[in-house]
Amino acid sequence: AQSVTQLDSQVPVFEEAPVELRCNYSSSVSVYLFWYVQYPNQGLQLLLKYLSGSTLVKGINGFEAEFNKSQTSFHLRKPSVHISDTAEYFCAVSLYNFNKFYFGSGTKLNVKP
Amino acid sequence: DTAVSQTPKYLVTQMGNDKSIKCEQNLGHDTMYWYKQDSKKFLKIMFSYNNKELIINETVPNRFSPKSPDKAHLNLHINSLELGDSAVYFCASSLRTARELFFGEGSRLTVL
């Protein structure tokens, strides 16, 4: 069975500070990895995805994530956050051979001035 | 043009009623999904259709019935609504060969 764990339900951070949102997964088969962002009262938008190749993936809005197979992690980072980054962030995996997505419980990033 | 659109955006109804949510995508995708997001923001897949064929049917009460008249549309009908059905329902679409979901803005259902 597959599962996705986001250890932090909330992350408060000051504007212009760096941030890391943690994601760990478990799966008995190969997976693809994703981060989605959800702004208030909106649907989810794709931030970035790891399918293969370089383990460091760059996404939109200055975010990046690193796939670590040995630690089964896919942590999201941004070197300097803005107020506008305040949102809910979801880590997700999909199976290599089947287009089914499993989502973590989300991390609310709260950027303070 | 909105890529994945859902109607209605808000739905308030009484227990026991029947309601429907509609979804349309104009991205040319062949796979569509319904997800339920509860009050704690947890997202759980309910159904998925590929070219009008049901391919994912999670453990969902049979009061929920999806229908896909064509690959651009996926509707969700809910019978005998219960308090626990209150949630935000998201429609999403993708190409089966691709690895990205495109979400609608959600339909917030409140059952009183």
Side-chain angles (χ1 to χ4, degrees), chain A residues 31-61:
Chain A
V31 296
Y32 299 119
L33 296 152
F34 306 81
W35 276 98
Y36 281 82
V37 60
Q38 184 180 24
Y39 298 104
N41 298 316
Q42 293 188 26
L44 281 74
Q45 302 171 34
L46 182 69
L47 266 183
L48 48 79
K49 59 186 176 185
Y50 172 78
L51 304 182
S52 64
S54 172
T55 56
L56 183 62
V57 180
K58 293 194 183 297
I60 62 171
N61 300 340

Side-chain angles (χ1 to χ4, degrees), chain A residues 34 36 38 95-96 100, chain B residues 37 41 58 94 99 101 104:
Chain A
F34 306 81
Y36 281 82
Q38 184 180 24
L95 302 182
Y96 177 74
K100 183 175 177 179
Chain B
Q37 187 175 49
K41 300 286 188 178
E58 294 294 285
S94 73
R99 293 293 168 177
L101 285 177

Side-chain angles (χ1 to χ4, degrees), chain B residues 40-83:
Chain B
K40 295 184 179 178
K41 300 286 188 178
F42 184 67
L43 267 168
K44 185 171 169 31
I45 190 166
M46 300 173 70
F47 303 103
S48 176
Y49 273 77
N50 175 253
N51 284 323
K52 302 195 299 175
E53 179 187 349
L54 182 66
I55 57 171
I56 296 174
N57 186 354
E58 294 294 285
T59 309
V60 176
N62 57 15
R63 299 182 293 105
F64 290 78
S65 50
K67 282 207 174 93
S68 182
D70 56 61
K71 66 179 186 178
H73 295 84
L74 180 62
N75 303 323
L76 183 65
H77 187 76
I78 316 170
N79 290 325
S80 304
L81 279 156
E82 300 178 356
L83 292 176

Side-chain angles (χ1 to χ4, degrees), chain A residues 23-33 50-56 65-75 96:
Chain A
C23 174
N24 287 88
Y25 69 94
S26 66
S27 176
S28 55
V29 299
S30 296
V31 296
Y32 299 119
L33 296 152
Y50 172 78
L51 304 182
S52 64
S54 172
T55 56
L56 183 62
E66 185 152 22
F67 169 53
N68 187 319
K69 189 173 182 180
S70 61
Q71 296 187 8
T72 60
S73 68
F74 191 54
H75 300 333
Y96 177 74

